[in-house]
């Protein structure tokens, strides 16, 4: 990464004795747009030869450019608004008039970056054997080329690096039988929600009304719906297994291992001790959730006997040595890279690696020999790191503990397993954690408090209840030890000049900060005024909100204001953790990024022949883009599955009353979050009371024009469930409680008319139990 002392080849103006002229706004914008490395105030000043007082004028110029939205801050650098990264994931959406393929970024925030750009896909005239050639509907990893499109139209050009997902004719949906005429398919994907498919009688494959099925489109026509054939019956929507399959199919998540991958995993044999340090006498223990199936990290702590480190500790973080079994270029490696990470649903795990590897050979089972990568860290009494080293070892876990089990032992309630471990193993761990906590408090990372809800299932796979597990010191202990080992991994790779797959987290964008500022105004909380916001500034906000009823909502809004973390070989630090360098090292069983870091350490320290290859080292930017996209794909699938599960759980509770809080709002209505389950739902604005309500963005409120009745973001409300749609994962409510009293101040043009009700009724009355509305908002033709 180019910097002031990095030997960067950034162009600069030649030195002269003539007075330096401050560059114009246009010149600065042109320079920013021309650079692919780091560009900030320092780099701009160096290029234009600015010194001393000139830099103050440049700072004012840059502030004006930022305020106007002409550039944004991204990845620790200034970028021209709408600028694209050199490597990105795109979706091929169409062909233009010249027949060229046109794509758009797979992820694009129009509010921050402007209109979605068209990217022309450059195709070879004569593709070589094996060269990737995409088509409309494909998801592709591209590298942007210099210059405009092939028709000299200035559009960016993307050269195909890899086809990530082929556009498929397979569609998943709910089968609705038509006696004597086969049936029709209602797609569950929101992109296809308005497009029904016809299924002939001979193509139903025994599907029953209401079944969740996968079909292949066999015929399309300009007139009439497409014709499909049932390929697979996936189950009934009352089963959670079928609901999780919806997410897997919609997001194209690979969930069936290839035969060659499974065969390679079955041929794998336990690693032999030769060439490894023997640490089997060290009493390492694993501490995981009670229902964990794989155990990839073990920990140990003991007082440091060194005279120059009073009160210090020696920590050991041992991580399953997945690199010993998953070699670069093998079938296991190719499929792990394709999956990117494991995906977790309430009743199933879609693993990155086959069970032979993840749950057997690499799982740190108690009293069984296992290969591991160990990080030994010496910390001082204040929790700050004194030194660290990495080792390739053979270990034997002393015990497999659950978080609650380890915490109970420390709290004086040991069981048969933990009783012999309390004094020699657990107490030193907790004492070391006390030191680590002091260092964490001094560093002050972003300290969000968001309860993590967990869905508990019945034996038949349906929802039993939703619980919020208690956050224990046992959780925090493991978290702090893993963070410390991750930092050590990143620093070691930097020291040895081996490419590193960093876990990066940028500072919030200006647009998100402005939105947060407007929200906080409604709570009489000010966003701290600082030239450079740090996590500690957000913690001040959270502490102020802690004394109010809106504490959970403020935590959620602050979270939404943050950038999304991702993987990249270009380090910009981790804003949320307030760390200059950070990498993921501690979960190679379930994250490909961690496996890359393990291979880097093996190469850097000469720990074997199975380290990072030159090919992978040169492709880290592409790998980072792929696994970042896979991570976001997994998060969306997990979130949507939970939404569908809860909607299915509440389908029998239509008409029930719930306590909730307003979590968002638009001109069309309110979003509410239920206190009981954490479920999100929608209240159409036209169904609220007997008034015309308008959206006041500055107040984050819906305000009645006649009465002044007001509903603000964060307000507690009582709602009644009107409809639950399990397939869409959507809930619709109506308000049963009044808003805040206010003063009427009608404004023309933003009234919501009562005869355009979004709850399916047009006579102005409030929906009652037993009423059957027409189509809900998310099913209506033409609604977005």
């Amino acid at each position: 990464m180019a910097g002031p002392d990095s030997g960067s080849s950034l162009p600069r103006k030649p030195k002269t004795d003539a007075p330096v002229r401050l560059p114009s706004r246009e010149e600065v914008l042109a320079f920013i747009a021309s650079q692919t490395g780091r560009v900030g105030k320092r780099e701009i000043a160096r290029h234009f030869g600015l010194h001393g007082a000139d830099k103050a004028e440049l700072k004012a110029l840059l502030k004006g450019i930022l305020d106007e939205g002409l550039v944004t801050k991204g990845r620790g650098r200034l970028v021209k608004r709408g600028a694209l990264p050199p490597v990105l994931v795109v979706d091929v959406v169409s062909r233009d008039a010249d027949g060229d393929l046109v794509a758009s970024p797979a992820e694009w925030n129009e509010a921050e970056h402007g209109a979605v750009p068209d990217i022309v896909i450059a195709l070879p005239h004569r593709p070589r054997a094996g060269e990737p050639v995409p088509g409309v509907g494909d998801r592709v990893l591209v590298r942007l080329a210099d210059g405009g499109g092939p028709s000299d139209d200035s559009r960016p050009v993307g050269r195909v690096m890899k086809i990530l997902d082929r556009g498929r004719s397979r569609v998943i949906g709910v089968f609705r039988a038509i006696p004597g005429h086969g049936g029709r398919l209602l797609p569950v994907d929101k992109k296809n929600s308005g497009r029904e498919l016809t299924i002939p009688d001979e193509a139903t494959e025994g599907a029953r009304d209401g079944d969740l099925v996968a079909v292949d489109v066999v015929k399309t026509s300009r007139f009439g719906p497409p014709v499909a054939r049932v390929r697979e019956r996936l189950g009934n929507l009352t089963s959670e297994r079928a609901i999780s399959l919806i997410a897997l199919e919609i997001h194209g998540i690979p969930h069936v291992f290839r035969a060659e991958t499974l065969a390679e995993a079955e041929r794998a044999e336990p690693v032999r001790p030769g060439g490894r340090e023997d640490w089997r006498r060290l009493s390492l223990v694993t501490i995981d959730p009670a229902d964990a199936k794989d155990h990839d990290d073990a920990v140990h702590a003991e007082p440091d006997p060194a005279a120059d480190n009073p009160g210090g500790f020696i920590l050991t973080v041992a991580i399953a040595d997945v690199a010993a079994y998953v070699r670069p270029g093998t079938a296991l490696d190719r499929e792990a890279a394709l999956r990117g990470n494991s995906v977790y649903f309430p009743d199933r795990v879609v693993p990155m690696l086959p069970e032979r590897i993840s749950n057997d050979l690499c799982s740190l089972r108690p009293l069984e020999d296992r290969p591991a990568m160990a990080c030994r860290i010496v910390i001082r009494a204040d929790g700050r790191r004194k030194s660290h080293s990495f080792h390739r070892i053979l270990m034997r876990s002393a015990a497999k503990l659950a978080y609650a089990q380890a915490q109970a032992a420390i709290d004086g309630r040991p069981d048969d397993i933990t009783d012999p471990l309390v004094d020699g193993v657990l107490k030193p761990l907790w004492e070391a954690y006390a030191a680590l906590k002091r260092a964490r408090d001094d560093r002050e990372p972003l300290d969000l408090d968001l309860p993590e809800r967990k869905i508990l299932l019945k034996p038949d796979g349906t929802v039993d209840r939703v619980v919020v597990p208690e956050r224990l010191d046992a959780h925090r202990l493991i978290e702090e030890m893993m963070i410390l080992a991750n930092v050590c991994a990143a620093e070691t790779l930097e020291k040895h000049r081996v490419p590193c797959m960093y876990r990066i987290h940028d500072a919030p964008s200006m647009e998100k900060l402005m939105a947060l500022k407007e929200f906080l105004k409604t709570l009489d909380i000010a966003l701290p005024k600082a030239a450079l916001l740090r996590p500690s500034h957000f913690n001040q906000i959270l502490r102020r909100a802690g004394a109010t009823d809106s504490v959970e909502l403020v935590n959620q809004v602050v979270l939404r204001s943050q950038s999304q973390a991702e993987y990249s070989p270009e380090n910009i630090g981790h804003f949320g953790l307030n760390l200059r360098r950070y990498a993921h090292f501690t979960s190679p069983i379930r994250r490909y990024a961690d496996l890359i870091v393990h291979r880097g350490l093996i190469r850097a320290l000469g720990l074997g022949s199975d380290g990072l290859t030159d090919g992978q080292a040169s492709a880290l930017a592409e790998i980072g883009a792929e696994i970042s996209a896979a991570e976001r794909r997994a998060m969306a699938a997990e979130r949507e599955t939970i939404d569908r599960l809860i909607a299915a759980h509440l389908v029998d509770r239509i008409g029930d009353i719930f306590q909730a809080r307003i979590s968002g709002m638009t001109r069309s209505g309110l979003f509410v979050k239920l206190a009981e389950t954490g479920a999100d739902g929608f209240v159409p604005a036209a169904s609220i009371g007997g008034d015309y309500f308008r959206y006041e963005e500055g107040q984050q409120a819906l305000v009645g024009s006649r009465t002044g009745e007001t509903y603000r973001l964060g307000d507690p409300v009582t709602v009644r469930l009107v409809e639950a749609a399990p397939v869409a994962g959507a809930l619709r409510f109506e308000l049963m409680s009044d808003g805040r009293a206010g003063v009427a101040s009608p404004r023309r043009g933003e009234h919501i008319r009562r005869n355009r009700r979004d709850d399916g009724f047009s006579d102005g009355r409030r929906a009652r139990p037993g009423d059957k509305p027409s189509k809900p908002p998310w099913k209506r033709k033409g609604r977005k």
Side-chain angles (χ1 to χ4, degrees):
M1 183 171 65
D5 304 310
S6 64
S8 166
S9 59
L10 277 175
R12 68 175 74 189
K13 297 284 186 183
K15 290 185 178 181
T16 68
D17 295 329
V20 176
R21 178 181 63 85
L22 187 71
S24 68
R25 185 173 66 168
E26 289 70 25
E27 289 173 322
V28 171
L29 287 173
F31 174 71
I32 291 172
S34 70
Q35 300 303 306
T36 57
R38 177 181 175 85
V39 182
K41 186 180 72 173
R42 181 181 300 174
E43 287 73 26
I44 296 171
R46 289 178 68 233
H47 173 72
F48 289 104
L50 303 179
H51 304 282
D54 298 328
K55 289 186 177 181
E57 293 186 48
L58 175 64
K59 181 178 180 181
L61 176 63
L62 291 176
K63 184 178 185 302
I65 292 174
L66 279 167
D67 290 344
E68 290 181 53
L70 298 174
V71 297
T72 61
K73 286 184 177 179
R75 291 194 169 199
R77 60 188 290 264
L78 294 173
V79 293
K80 194 170 181 179
R81 190 169 190 261
L84 294 164
V87 177
L88 74 161
V89 178
V90 300
D91 291 323
V92 183
V93 294
S94 63
R95 287 186 181 271
D96 62 15
D98 297 321
D100 297 318
L101 288 175
V102 178
S104 61
E107 294 192 0
W108 188 262
N109 189 322
E110 291 188 58
E112 291 186 31
H113 307 302
V116 180
D118 286 341
I119 301 167
V120 178
I121 301 298
L123 296 178
H125 293 295
R126 293 182 180 179
R128 298 187 299 271
E131 188 171 6
V133 178
V136 174
D138 292 350
R139 176 160 286 191
V140 184
L141 183 70
V142 300
R143 180 183 292 278
L144 294 186
D146 294 330
S151 303
D152 296 327
D153 57 6
S154 76
R155 291 178 296 178
V157 177
R159 303 195 182 281
V160 178
M161 303 174 66
K162 181 184 289 187
I163 297 174
L164 303 178
D165 189 21
R166 286 286 187 184
R168 297 162 297 170
S169 60
R170 179 180 168 102
V171 181
I172 189 170
V174 179
F175 177 75
R176 292 302 181 193
I178 303 174
H181 298 281
R184 56 195 176 96
L185 185 84
L186 306 179
V188 298
D189 187 352
K190 293 178 181 178
K191 295 180 181 177
N192 297 315
S193 60
R195 187 183 70 145
E196 293 186 3
L197 285 73
T198 297
I199 302 175
D201 195 40
E202 66 275 10
T204 62
E205 299 295 329
R208 299 177 181 177
D209 187 72
D211 277 355
L212 186 69
V213 298
V215 305
D216 288 326
V217 178
V218 297
K219 182 180 178 182
T220 58
S221 171
R222 292 178 61 187
F223 307 102
V227 178
R229 173 181 293 276
V230 174
R231 177 177 175 178
E232 184 181 2
R233 293 172 60 191
L234 302 175
N236 190 278
L237 284 181
T238 57
S239 165
E240 192 278 336
R241 180 175 176 80
I243 288 180
S244 62
L245 276 173
I246 294 176
L248 293 176
E249 292 292 335
I250 287 177
H251 292 282
I253 296 175
H255 57 98
V256 177
F257 283 106
R258 299 165 180 166
E260 61 176 340
T261 305
L262 292 173
E264 189 172 286
E266 290 303 319
R267 291 195 300 269
E269 297 182 356
V271 170
R272 297 177 180 177
R276 292 176 176 271
E277 299 178 44
D278 190 345
W279 288 20
R280 285 177 289 184
R281 291 189 177 182
L282 190 68
S283 296
L284 290 153
V285 294
T286 61
I287 306 178
D288 293 293
D291 55 357
K293 294 181 180 179
D294 54 67
H295 308 276
D296 55 6
D297 58 85
V299 294
H300 179 268
E302 60 183 336
D304 185 1
D308 64 344
N309 191 26
F313 290 87
I314 301 174
L315 313 180
T316 302
V317 178
I319 307 298
D321 192 351
V322 177
Y325 294 100
V326 183
R327 303 293 183 100
T330 61
L332 280 167
D333 183 51
R334 288 192 297 272
E335 186 137 3
L338 177 67
R339 296 184 175 218
N341 47 253
S342 298
V343 188
Y344 295 86
F345 297 108
D347 83 323
R348 73 161 83 192
V349 175
V350 179
M352 185 181 77
L353 296 168
E355 287 192 6
R356 168 67 173 159
I357 303 295
S358 60
N359 291 3
D360 185 3
L361 294 175
C362 287
S363 186
L364 306 181
R365 295 174 174 175
L367 307 180
E368 293 186 21
D369 293 351
R370 287 291 184 269
M373 283 282 290
C375 183
R376 175 160 285 183
I377 311 163
V378 180
I379 63 171
R380 298 185 176 89
D382 61 2
R384 298 185 184 276
R385 183 161 39 96
K386 188 172 185 286
S387 64
H388 72 269
S389 58
F390 283 90
H391 310 260
R392 219 165 183 188
I393 69 169
L394 191 69
M395 61 161 285
R396 183 181 296 163
S397 171
K400 178 185 74 173
L401 306 180
Y403 287 116
Q405 182 183 22
Q407 188 69 54
I410 284 294
D411 293 342
R413 304 187 308 278
D415 57 19
D416 292 341
I417 295 176
T418 56
D419 189 54
L421 302 173
V422 170
D423 291 329
V425 177
L426 295 180
K427 284 186 177 179
L429 277 170
W430 256 258
E431 290 166 0
Y433 165 63
L436 290 175
K437 187 176 183 302
R438 286 191 285 273
R440 181 188 188 278
D441 292 342
D442 289 341
R443 190 177 84 242
E444 198 166 356
L446 184 60
D447 192 17
L448 292 168
D449 183 16
L450 290 168
E452 185 176 341
R453 290 175 171 83
K454 183 175 183 179
I455 293 180
L456 301 182
L457 302 177
K458 299 175 183 177
D460 63 359
T462 58
V463 175
D464 180 19
R465 64 188 187 278
V466 180
V467 299
V468 179
E470 184 182 1
R471 177 85 166 150
L472 304 171
D473 278 346
H475 294 99
R476 299 183 181 96
L477 181 154
I478 295 299
E479 183 178 282
E480 288 305 313
M481 293 191 73
M482 298 303 114
I483 289 174
L484 188 57
N486 288 337
V487 172
C488 292
E491 288 192 359
T492 298
L493 291 175
E494 279 193 6
K495 178 181 178 182
H496 289 83
R497 301 185 181 278
V498 171
C500 177
M501 183 67 80
Y502 294 98
R503 179 64 166 178
I504 61 173
H505 182 224
D506 206 352
S509 67
M510 184 63 66
E511 290 79 6
K512 289 186 176 181
L513 287 176
M514 292 306 296
L516 176 63
K517 182 178 180 180
E518 292 301 316
F519 163 69
L520 292 174
K521 278 184 181 179
T522 68
L523 302 175
D524 294 325
I525 299 176
L527 185 68
K529 293 181 179 180
L532 181 64
L533 284 176
R534 299 187 180 278
S536 58
H537 295 117
F538 290 94
N539 291 339
Q540 293 174 25
I541 294 169
L542 297 172
R543 283 192 288 270
R544 286 200 58 187
T548 71
D549 293 335
S550 301
V551 56
E552 184 175 342
L553 178 63
V554 173
N555 274 266
Q556 291 166 352
V557 175
V558 169
L559 175 63
R560 289 200 293 263
S561 74
Q562 304 300 305
S563 302
Q564 191 160 27
E566 55 187 317
Y567 296 103
S568 173
E570 181 183 346
N571 183 33
I572 63 168
H574 196 293
F575 177 82
L577 292 175
N578 200 14
L579 293 168
R580 292 184 179 180
R581 55 191 62 82
Y582 191 65
H584 274 166
F585 159 77
T586 55
S587 294
I589 286 178
R590 62 184 178 90
R591 291 189 306 230
Y592 193 71
D594 302 53
L595 178 56
I596 292 290
V597 170
H598 276 235
R599 289 173 178 168
L601 291 168
I602 293 168
R603 174 173 173 165
L605 302 172
L607 297 177
S609 60
D610 47 356
L612 190 69
T613 64
D614 289 341
Q616 279 201 323
S618 63
L620 284 191
E622 295 86 344
I623 295 172
E626 290 180 50
I627 59 180
S628 295
E631 179 187 39
R632 291 190 288 271
R633 176 183 69 184
M635 292 169 62
E638 293 165 358
R639 182 176 62 249
E640 290 170 12
T641 295
I642 290 175
D643 288 344
R644 291 188 177 101
L645 271 175
I646 292 181
H649 177 54
L650 296 178
V651 77
D652 295 327
R653 298 185 63 181
I654 303 297
D656 282 9
I657 304 298
F658 298 89
Q659 298 304 310
R661 193 174 290 276
I662 298 174
S663 58
M665 56 182 57
T666 66
R667 283 179 170 80
S668 49
L670 305 172
F671 294 95
V672 296
K673 183 178 287 291
L674 302 188
E676 179 181 321
T677 61
D680 295 301
F682 186 68
V683 179
S687 69
I688 304 174
D691 200 350
Y692 298 97
F693 280 83
R694 66 178 186 277
Y695 175 49
E696 292 285 357
E697 186 173 4
Q699 300 179 40
Q700 290 290 292
L702 285 184
V703 181
S705 295
R706 181 173 55 83
T707 63
E709 185 180 7
T710 301
Y711 293 93
R712 282 188 177 177
L713 194 65
D715 282 353
V717 290
T718 301
V719 295
R720 187 177 74 84
L721 181 61
V722 175
E723 183 167 2
V727 174
L731 301 171
R732 185 165 56 91
F733 297 93
E734 66 171 352
L735 285 173
M736 305 300 291
S737 56
D738 295 330
R740 306 181 184 202
V743 179
S745 55
R747 289 167 58 187
R748 297 180 61 185
E750 293 190 14
H751 291 169
I752 299 170
R753 299 184 60 84
R754 294 287 295 162
N755 63 348
R756 287 186 171 178
R757 294 178 57 87
D758 273 339
D759 60 358
F761 299 97
S762 58
D763 57 2
R765 64 187 173 86
R766 190 178 284 270
R768 295 185 294 270
D771 284 329
K772 293 184 177 180
S774 58
K775 292 183 179 180
W778 52 83
K779 291 183 181 178
R780 294 206 186 151
K781 186 176 180 180
R783 290 189 66 89
K784 294 183 179 180

